[in-house]
Amino acid sequence: MRNFFKRQGKFQPRNGDDRNDQIIPEDLWVKCPKCSELIYSKELDRSARVCPKCGHHFRLRARHRIRLLVDPGSFEEWDTGLRPEDPLAFVDGQGPYPDKVERTQLKTGEVEALITGVCRVEGRPLVLVVADFDFLGASMGSVWGEKLARAVERAGEHGWPVMTVNASGGARMHEGLFSLMQMAKTVSAFHRLGERRLPHFSLLVDPCYGGVTASYATVADIVMAEPGALIGFAGQRVIEQITRQKLPDGFQTAEFLLEHGMIDFIIERQQLRQQVRTLIDLYMRDGENEPAPVVATAASIDVDA
Amino acid sequence: MTTDVDEMTSDAPPAPTAWDRVKLARATDRPTTQDYVAALFTDFVELHGDRLFGDDRALIGGVARFRGSTVMVIGHQGGTNTKENISRNFGMPRPEGYRKAQRLMRHAEKFGLPIVTLIDTSGADPGISSEERGQGTAIAESLMTMFGCRVPIVCTVIAEGGSGGALAIGIGDRLLMLENAIYAVASPEACATILWRDVEKAPEAAETMRVTAADCYRFGIVDDIVPEPQPAHEAPQEVIAATGDFIEQALRDIQSAFDPETEDGVAAMLDARYGKFRAIGAWRDASLDALDSATPES
């Protein structure tokens, strides 16, 4: 087996979590970090980037997630013009914040870490909000808060349900207190949506930490998580350094959160679309796609008689 | 009672650096929530426990009389010595602390009591058991509770406002900050470790994170600054009394702006609370830039 690797001079199986969507020749094969299976890249993409052998859920870019969930061609993206400012004139060891943003934009092909818009799932309208971990670790800054608030407000105006797909490495440190305040801004938007009795479905995906976990993502009406996703408030390294304790097995995994009563259920990626469709139908009872319930029909006959 | 920041700082050469403010905010003798409660409130009845798991001594609260009215006061509480610091977890609340705070806020709502919060924490507890009990969810629920709470809320950062652990009792109709208090998304040490990979860079981090009261006021996040002619730990009674005056004035301002005794008044107050946080952000709309540049110059 080792000789086989040697013969293939360029053959470099990489941890699939590190790669982008684009396929380059060296990336034809991906090694599953969980079961070590070598998977043909195209096959992995066909299986929604879930390991065909062990079911490990690889990370997904935001646009890939949107493609998997929505009716083809139905996603209408909102507020693509919003860009971060530099209110702190922030400079760190890697230079000024605006330069960092620009480099990240070139590298990722995204202008910010959050994508918002409206789509259809099997014909049903849904406001969709998806985080992209590749963009500065999906750190929540002012653009994130503004895009999310606008999306949720529009959902309220039109009477649409909202689904958020949440990954985050924490706060956008470069935006200082503005970043922290986005926790308040996003929660308040959902508070208003709740007053209109419109549901918020939240899917937590790997990894989801910090201010996103401590704000709108965990106070949704339905909180779901992908199998194996790491979810928490404080990061594992921070906890280890501060407590000097060994972390329990499976600490902060989706399964751990389920056991501790923190999420409603775990959903496999291939089942998500069907599950979301079911949820929309359960909550959007007056929706355009909902056949009239039997009880209501009987009641209206009674009234007529 | 608007304080002009420039006026306040222009006479005091040389102006303290951000790191000086961090050190003042963390001064060991700086007054704590208990000191404010003792000096400004009478008949304080501390209420314990979240009714779910335990009582968090890092976040305390209770009913009391403040300048003639019954209010609910809630604040972070660290210790003044090692033993007390351990029992109060160095002022870092666990989920049961936030859930106790939510219980007290609902209690205040039931009886129409204004809520006064005092913020002084380095952050929420980052421990294993806190994660097990849903630290993130507990903070999020606190934010949600405060946005819906139908009584006036005045929040004051009295020392260190650290991250989500501070924000969790920081949603209100007015946000006040003491002159030498700091409010930050992460501690300067954490920021230095993450972005410089060097904790020794904390003073630089404090500067570039813009954590001072003057910065927060300039950003429109803080409504008013309580001046400290002398740092609070050097003149505690004066600074505490001044803080009390600012809180009283803020409560009066809310009462007169919204008339929270009426349904319409409450609705207007909650709208304004929403609007206050809805407006916070620093972003631009590039699609509007494009429109501007596409417009032919005349």
Side-chain angles (χ1 to χ4, degrees):
Chain A
M1 213 38 195
R2 209 179 298 152
N3 288 336
F4 170 79
F5 284 117
K6 270 184 181 164
R7 276 203 305 275
Q8 308 282 322
K10 276 186 166 178
F11 189 92
Q12 286 284 328
R14 289 172 50 183
N15 182 325
D17 281 348
D18 291 330
R19 63 189 287 287
N20 295 336
D21 272 358
Q22 60 192 125
I23 294 169
I24 48 172
E26 288 82 358
D27 262 346
L28 280 173
W29 294 87
V30 176
K31 189 177 178 181
C32 175
K34 195 174 164 196
C35 71
S36 299
E37 177 82 350
L38 286 174
I39 313 157
Y40 187 47
S41 221
K42 279 185 180 161
E43 191 193 343
L44 189 59
D45 282 338
R46 273 197 298 272
S47 62
R49 300 189 63 75
V50 174
C51 174
K53 192 180 172 202
C54 74
H56 171 73
H57 282 50
F58 286 79
R59 286 181 189 169
L60 274 188
R61 294 292 304 273
R63 295 204 186 267
H64 197 161
R65 287 193 180 278
I66 294 169
R67 278 204 301 281
L68 288 173
L69 184 63
V70 310
D71 295 352
S74 72
F75 185 67
E76 179 197 322
E77 191 174 352
W78 288 337
D79 300 311
T80 54
L82 296 193
R83 302 282 186 281
E85 283 283 11
D86 183 21
L88 276 53
F90 193 96
V91 182
D92 67 10
Q94 296 171 41
Y97 174 47
D99 293 356
K100 184 161 189 134
V101 168
E102 205 182 314
R103 285 199 303 273
T104 307
Q105 287 171 337
L106 288 170
K107 196 182 82 183
T108 60
E110 297 294 345
V111 293
E112 248 292 345
L114 195 74
I115 298 171
T116 61
V118 65
C119 69
R120 288 187 176 260
V121 175
E122 297 195 18
R124 293 145 180 86
L126 175 73
V127 170
L128 188 58
V129 173
V130 185
D132 193 286
F133 191 75
D134 280 25
F135 195 99
L136 294 178
S139 47
M140 180 162 64
S142 294
V143 171
W144 182 310
E146 183 65 21
K147 277 181 135 179
L148 188 133
R150 288 185 185 189
V152 174
E153 282 170 353
R154 279 181 204 132
E157 285 159 21
H158 293 277
W160 292 329
V162 179
M163 164 134 187
T164 59
V165 180
N166 301 300
S168 183
R172 182 74 55 87
M173 218 71 89
H174 316 73
E175 293 183 24
L177 200 59
F178 285 102
S179 171
L180 184 72
M181 291 295 156
Q182 304 312 307
M183 292 169 64
K185 183 164 170 171
T186 54
V187 167
S188 71
F190 280 111
H191 181 263
R192 296 227 134 175
L193 190 78
E195 287 182 333
R196 292 176 187 253
R197 293 196 177 174
L198 290 167
H200 168 204
F201 312 128
S202 167
L203 176 68
L204 310 176
V205 302
D206 187 66
C208 191
Y209 279 90
V212 171
T213 298
S215 66
Y216 69 93
T218 53
V219 285
D221 301 295
I222 304 281
V223 184
M224 309 170 265
E226 280 197 334
L230 287 178
I231 302 152
F233 176 65
Q236 300 204 343
R237 240 181 323 159
V238 171
I239 298 172
E240 273 178 329
Q241 277 168 11
I242 290 179
T243 65
R244 297 199 188 92
Q245 280 178 281
K246 191 180 176 302
L247 303 179
D249 284 345
F251 184 62
Q252 293 184 328
T253 58
E255 293 73 15
F256 178 93
L257 265 74
L258 183 69
E259 195 187 318
H260 285 85
M262 293 303 151
I263 58 175
D264 289 297
F265 53 85
I266 292 171
I267 182 84
E268 288 181 12
R269 198 170 283 162
Q270 293 96 329
Q271 313 302 321
L272 180 65
R273 188 174 149 84
Q274 182 60 38
Q275 182 68 77
V276 169
R277 199 202 76 152
T278 303
L279 287 174
I280 297 172
D281 285 351
L282 284 168
Y283 288 89
M284 304 306 289
R285 295 183 299 269
D286 303 323
E288 57 192 81
N289 305 296
E290 179 69 11
V294 176
V295 182
T297 313
S300 59
I301 290 168
D302 282 347
V303 171
D304 287 342
Chain B
M1 195 182 288
T2 306
T3 310
D4 190 321
V5 180
D6 296 329
E7 193 180 293
M8 224 171 55
T9 48
S10 61
D11 289 347
T17 64
W19 187 242
D20 291 336
R21 303 278 194 199
V22 172
K23 286 188 284 188
L24 285 169
R26 291 173 177 172
T28 40
D29 296 338
R30 194 171 171 89
T32 67
T33 290
Q34 284 183 324
D35 298 315
Y36 285 84
V37 169
L40 297 173
F41 299 76
T42 54
D43 297 335
F44 176 63
V45 179
E46 186 174 353
L47 303 175
H48 292 273
D50 66 351
R51 303 294 188 271
L52 295 164
F53 179 81
D55 182 45
D56 189 343
R57 303 191 70 219
L59 191 49
I60 62 172
V63 286
R65 201 177 313 281
F66 174 73
R67 311 266 164 118
S69 305
T70 305
V71 302
M72 179 67 73
V73 56
I74 297 169
H76 301 101
Q77 184 65 50
T80 49
N81 55 54
T82 307
K83 194 180 163 202
E84 201 194 358
N85 253 324
I86 288 167
S87 85
R88 295 195 183 277
N89 198 33
F90 297 85
M92 296 186 294
R94 299 181 167 109
E96 46 273 24
Y98 296 115
R99 291 179 179 132
K100 171 168 69 178
Q102 292 153 33
R103 182 175 80 79
L104 299 195
M105 288 171 199
R106 289 192 299 268
H107 182 108
E109 190 175 38
K110 174 176 174 178
F111 293 100
L113 310 178
I115 297 170
V116 173
T117 74
L118 301 169
I119 296 167
D120 179 13
T121 182
S122 59
D125 175 63
I128 293 171
S129 61
S130 287
E131 294 290 325
E132 286 174 338
R133 295 197 293 280
Q135 184 70 290
T137 309
I139 293 171
E141 284 167 342
S142 276
L143 302 176
M144 197 60 109
T145 300
M146 296 186 94
F147 274 112
C149 204
R150 300 169 66 84
V151 291
I153 305 175
V154 174
C155 311
T156 307
V157 186
I158 55 171
E160 184 168 9
S163 192
L167 184 69
I169 60 165
I171 308 297
D173 306 297
R174 291 289 185 281
L175 176 60
L176 312 175
M177 201 165 160
L178 269 64
E179 186 184 342
N180 291 317
I182 60 164
Y183 201 176
V185 65
S187 71
E189 289 83 355
C191 181
T193 307
I194 294 166
L195 295 178
W196 278 268
R197 308 206 177 278
D198 180 5
V199 72
E200 300 297 317
K201 298 276 188 197
E204 284 97 318
E207 194 64 50
T208 197
M209 288 170 79
R210 319 283 175 223
V211 299
T212 69
D215 291 322
C216 299
Y217 181 80
R218 180 164 55 88
F219 292 146
I221 293 169
V222 160
D223 299 301
D224 230 334
I225 298 175
V226 182
E228 295 181 43
Q230 281 181 281
H233 65 283
E234 287 171 19
Q237 290 318 313
E238 290 81 348
V239 172
I240 290 172
T243 306
D245 293 345
F246 272 74
I247 293 171
E248 183 183 359
Q249 188 59 47
L251 284 171
R252 280 185 203 286
D253 290 347
I254 300 165
Q255 306 272 4
S256 63
F258 303 114
D259 191 9
E261 301 298 313
T262 66
E263 282 294 311
D264 287 353
V266 169
M269 181 176 73
L270 295 184
D271 278 351
R273 195 180 295 165
Y274 175 77
K276 174 178 163 64
F277 288 88
R278 174 69 181 82
I280 299 177
W283 47 267
R284 68 187 169 86
D285 193 338
S287 61
L288 300 180
D289 299 352
L291 284 179
D292 289 345
S293 57
T295 311
E297 297 286 328
S298 54

